[in-house]
């Protein structure tokens, strides 16, 4: 139901399509933007205009940046560790960078294998990964701990078998600050399997 004209209604509908925002949150956001036209709406509109022109996908790793190759791929120090971390999405790359994982490079798959959703190997940036893997001494598979994520990790491991490149994956287990009593059985049994010597 339109309350304030088609322009406002369209804005609400577009914002409601953003992850984490439903129609209710979108209406609140739009109302806030209208009230803060000078401080928020105009700068946001200008920032969106600039981002539309500037943002591009890195031709090497699939990261988003304003240059391609991206600033991570262009940084020579990043190549020295020989570590390439494979992630499903740019959001995962950002999370690892926030965690300060060090001088590593990344490869963004753009999703995971999911036969039910019709996502096959050709739909992901897998050939790009196989093509550049030879330049690294270790490939770290940092897929989500979901069935699809692990299926994708197995697929990549198979594709890299026989190349001599070390393939590792993130440990699954007890989160930092986590209490054993609150963990689900799957996580707890994975943590026991992946135990390490102190
Ligand atoms: Zn890149």
């Amino acid at each position: 139901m339109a309350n304030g004209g088609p322009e406002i209604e369209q804005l609400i509908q577009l914002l409601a399509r953003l992850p984490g925002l439903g129609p209710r949150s979108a209406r609140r956001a739009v109302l806030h933007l209208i009230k803060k036209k000078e401080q928020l709406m105009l700068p946001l509109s200008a920032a969106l205009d600039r981002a539309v022109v500037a943002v591009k996908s890195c031709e090497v790793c699939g990261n988003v940046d304003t240059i391609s190759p991206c600033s991570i791929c262009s940084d020579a120090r990043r190549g020295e560790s020989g570590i390439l971390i494979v992630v499903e999405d740019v959001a995962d790359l950002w999370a690892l960078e926030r965690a300060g994982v060090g001088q590593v490079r990344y490869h963004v798959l753009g999703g995971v294998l999911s036969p039910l959703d019709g996502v096959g190997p050709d739909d992901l940036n897998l050939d790009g990964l196989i093509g550049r893997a030879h330049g690294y001494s270790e490939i770290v598979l940092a897929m989500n701990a979901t069935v699809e994520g692990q299926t994708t990790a197995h697929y990549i491991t198979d594709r890299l078998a026989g190349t001599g490149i070390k393939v590792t994956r993130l440990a699954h287990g007890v989160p930092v600050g986590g209490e054993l009593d609150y963990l689900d059985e799957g996580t707890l049994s994975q943590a026991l399997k992946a135990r390490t010597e102190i």
Side-chain angles (χ1 to χ4, degrees):
M1 187 67 203
N3 285 322
E7 291 84 359
I8 294 173
E9 190 58 28
Q10 192 191 18
L11 200 50
I12 293 169
Q13 281 177 10
L14 287 171
L15 281 178
R17 283 156 63 176
L18 293 176
L21 284 186
R24 187 185 165 88
S25 306
R27 272 197 298 277
R28 288 179 60 192
V30 167
L31 198 53
H32 191 72
L33 284 170
I34 291 167
K35 285 179 186 166
K36 303 270 181 190
K37 190 175 175 183
E38 298 294 329
Q39 306 100 305
L40 206 53
M41 200 177 197
L42 284 170
L44 178 67
S45 171
L48 279 172
D49 279 342
R50 285 196 299 274
V52 164
V53 176
V55 170
K56 49 191 77 163
S57 182
C58 174
E59 67 203 78
V60 179
C61 74
N63 186 18
V64 290
D65 204 329
T66 51
I67 51 170
S68 178
C70 71
S71 49
I72 292 177
C73 287
S74 308
D75 185 346
R77 288 168 304 172
R78 296 263 189 174
E80 288 165 10
S81 68
I83 295 175
L84 183 69
I85 303 185
V86 184
V87 293
E88 293 178 18
D89 195 84
V90 174
D92 304 324
L93 186 163
W94 287 356
L96 286 161
E97 282 293 292
R98 282 201 304 277
V101 291
Q103 302 286 17
V104 299
R105 288 222 176 108
Y106 298 94
H107 191 85
V108 182
L109 290 176
V112 276
L113 294 174
S114 178
L116 285 177
D117 298 319
V119 182
D122 293 340
D123 300 309
L124 305 176
N125 189 10
L126 279 165
D127 287 340
L129 170 64
I130 305 304
R132 66 190 287 233
H134 298 276
Y136 294 85
S137 53
E138 180 177 351
I139 308 293
V140 184
L141 302 176
M143 267 88 246
N144 290 330
T146 57
V147 173
E148 291 83 6
Q150 296 314 300
T151 304
T152 309
H154 278 125
Y155 179 86
I156 294 171
T157 308
D158 285 347
R159 288 278 303 264
L160 290 172
T163 59
I165 306 165
K166 182 176 168 187
V167 181
T168 57
R169 70 162 173 83
L170 295 186
H172 296 166
V174 184
V176 174
E179 295 181 34
L180 298 194
D181 195 22
Y182 287 94
L183 293 184
D184 64 277
E185 292 80 7
T187 304
L188 204 47
S189 71
Q190 277 291 332
L192 188 64
K193 274 188 211 152
R195 66 188 179 276
T196 54
E197 198 170 337
I198 299 172

